[in-house]
Each structure stands twice: as C-alpha cells, then as structure tokens.
Amino acid sequence: MRLATMRNGTRDGALHVVTRDGARAASAEGVAPTLLAALEEWERVRPDLEGLAADLEAGRLAGVPFDEARALAPLPRTWQWLDASAFLNHGALLSRSLGIDPILSPVPLMYQGMSHEFLPPHEAATLWNPRGDLDFEGEFAVILRDTPAGIDPEAAREHIALVTFVNDWSQRAIVVEEMGRRFGFIEGKPATAMAPIAATPDELGDAWQDGRITASLTVGLNGERFGAVPAGEMDYDFGELIAYAARTRNLAAGTVIGSGTVSSTRYAETGSACIAERRGIEIIQTGTASTPYLRDGDRVTMRVEIDGDVVFGRLDQAVVAR
C-alpha cells in the first residue's frame, strides 16, 4: 500500500492512497483524514486503507490523476524526528578526511531534529546562509505506529508502519560550529524534505530484508547523477535504531526515524548521497576538496527505483537564496 498527502488548504493535508504505477490517487478521508490520524489507529484503519488501495488498483475506484508536485510530505508535521548515523562508512570517510579519529560508540549515534515541519518533495529549499555550506543528505526513513518503551529490536521491526526516504538538509559549516559547542543542532539543521509517497514495507519486495532496505537511492544534482548508492551496508537495522530510541520512552505513532546518509564502501562505483562525503573522498584521494556546496539555483533530485518501480515517487527541489 502506498500513501500520500495532498494539499487541501490545511497544514496537515488530506490522506490519499496511490496506485503502484503512481498514476492515480484516491482520497482516504472516509477512513482517516490525515496520515497521522491513521497511524494513531493503525491496527484498526489499515485493513480499510488496504481495501481502498486494492479497489483503486483494480479500477473499481476511479480516483484522480496523481500529481506529486501537488503533494505535501506524507507527514507534513509529526511528533518526533529522530535521525541516526547507521552507515558507519559515512562517518569513517568524513573522519579520515578531517584527520580525526572516528567516533567509537557502543550504541547508535542519533539526535532529535525538527519534526513540526517536513518540506514537500517539490518545494524549494532555502539557502539560509550563503556561508553555511548547504548540503543535501539522502536517507531512508521509517514511520512508526505506537511503540512501547523497552522494546527489543526484533519486536520493534513489527512497529514499522511505513517506509520512505528523506532529504535531510544540512548547513555543514554551522553544524561544525554547533558540534564544537557540544550541545546539539539547531541552526545547522533546517527543515527536512520527504518523498511524496510512504509505502508499507511489503511494497519493497526483496529490497526489504530484516529491517533494512537494500535498494539504491539515486541522487542527482543539476541534471547529473551524483550517486546511486545501495543501502545494503547499513550497520544498524531499523529495529536496532527503534529499540535504542525507545530505551526509556514510548515512541508515539508518527515518529520518524532516519538512517543517516546512505553510504557504500564501493563509493568509487556508486557515488555518494551528500556533498560532504564526496568532498571527504576528494580530500583523501587528492588532498583537496573540489566539489562546491550548494548555491542559489542548484537543483537536487532523489528517487528509489526497484525493478523499474519508482516506489516513493520523486523528490525535486531547487535551492533559492533567502
């Protein structure tokens, strides 16, 4: 089942089901007005949503053309956004390029980010500070139903309602300053963008394995491929990330947990899912970073394609000066 949120003049939009080819959508407001409302009663409403999706897929429900450019983020706002760094290769590359020791931690690295606004997939991203070194970060993410504190990783996987991908915008120069203060990210982390469609894990087929997505995230910059990075090297699966986040707290329905930047040890073939990693590789190989951070007018695209199926739709964002 694939779900999207369409504009209707409200902050939270209207929940829709979407066909597998992404061509048509139908309102699900008779079942749940918004995705957050559906997640809060997931066990009760999921069968009705699946029935609606099946009717749309089979042509028993006419629906309307699906225009992802008119879609909001599937969750335009929610209770909690927790972003991890589950690809250790990414951190190792950046640490090596900076000449510092990698962070050694017995638990996943994770921070709590801004959740009251997720940008629509086709909305421009603001260049808030021209000296902030604006960067995109392609990540996978899961959206949870209610999840109790103290849950173990295996049970935690069963609380994943939906899967999607995000573009976690970062102002790298400011993030470095904030890390130096040792008190978390604020200015360096503007609103994250989310793909137009969130899907149940079964929609990924064999690309969903034991709480991990093995598909590739394809990233483009100004019409050129920047990376097509397979996610199979994720060191912590989503069950482990959820269990860590839930050690001392319940996780409310609608909690979004990110994988951190998708990364591969085969980066020479796959490319990267953020500029910082490419610059780090350039420093390691040549001593100098040559790829610039984003500027006014740049355009970033992302998609995930599994056997020709663009599961989550496409993200397409221009960068505009403040």
Side-chain angles (χ1 to χ4, degrees), residues 7-286:
R7 299 176 190 270
N8 68 349
T10 70
R11 288 186 177 187
D12 298 304
L15 180 61
H16 283 63
V17 294
V18 181
T19 54
R20 287 190 173 90
D21 63 4
R24 303 191 69 74
S27 172
E29 289 183 279
V31 178
T34 66
L35 181 54
L36 186 56
L39 290 163
E40 290 179 333
E41 298 188 75
W42 189 245
E43 294 306 298
R44 182 181 67 82
V45 305
R46 176 173 177 168
D48 292 334
L49 289 173
E50 289 177 331
L52 194 65
D55 286 344
L56 181 65
E57 197 72 42
R60 294 186 294 269
L61 183 64
V64 296
F66 176 57
D67 181 3
E68 64 182 35
R70 293 190 63 251
L72 297 171
L75 276 175
R77 55 179 177 167
T78 191
W79 300 112
Q80 191 163 221
W81 158 235
L82 301 173
D83 196 14
S85 183
F87 290 86
L88 299 186
N89 178 68
H90 174 69
L93 284 172
L94 294 187
S95 296
R96 183 180 167 194
S97 70
L98 294 170
I100 61 176
D101 292 330
I103 298 173
L104 300 177
S105 171
V107 297
L109 299 177
M110 184 180 291
Y111 74 93
Q112 184 164 325
M114 180 174 72
S115 63
H116 66 269
E117 179 185 17
F118 281 91
L119 295 178
H122 289 251
E123 183 169 302
T126 301
L127 183 65
W128 291 103
N129 184 336
R131 293 180 297 280
D133 292 345
L134 184 66
D135 194 1
F136 51 83
E137 292 187 60
E139 309 185 12
F140 285 105
V142 295
I143 303 172
L144 307 184
R145 60 187 178 93
D146 279 318
T147 304
I151 197 167
D152 65 64
E154 185 175 355
R157 295 185 199 117
E158 300 304 313
H159 288 258
I160 296 170
L162 299 164
V163 185
T164 190
F165 71 83
V166 300
N167 180 5
D168 181 36
W169 292 103
S170 296
Q171 297 189 114
R172 295 290 190 182
I174 297 169
V175 163
V176 169
E177 292 176 6
E178 292 183 315
M179 290 178 68
R181 300 181 198 124
R182 300 186 179 183
F183 209 68
F185 307 130
I186 296 294
E187 185 184 350
K189 286 290 188 177
T192 295
M194 191 177 286
I197 294 171
T200 49
D202 59 283
E203 293 288 328
L204 277 66
D206 291 339
W208 178 254
Q209 298 282 344
D210 299 322
R212 287 180 174 86
I213 298 166
T214 61
S216 295
L217 179 63
T218 299
V219 181
L221 177 59
N222 296 327
E224 300 291 331
R225 195 188 88 162
F226 196 89
V229 189
E233 295 181 45
M234 188 174 176
D235 291 276
Y236 293 100
D237 73 65
F238 278 110
E240 293 172 303
L241 298 182
I242 296 163
Y244 171 70
R247 279 188 174 183
T248 59
R249 66 186 73 182
N250 298 320
L251 301 179
T255 294
V256 183
I257 295 187
S259 67
T261 305
V262 177
S263 184
S264 172
T265 54
R266 296 187 293 108
Y267 52 80
E269 307 164 36
T270 68
S272 298
C274 73
I275 293 172
E277 182 174 294
R278 177 178 281 190
R279 287 171 60 89
I281 293 165
E282 291 167 346
I283 290 170
I284 292 168
Q285 293 178 337
T286 70

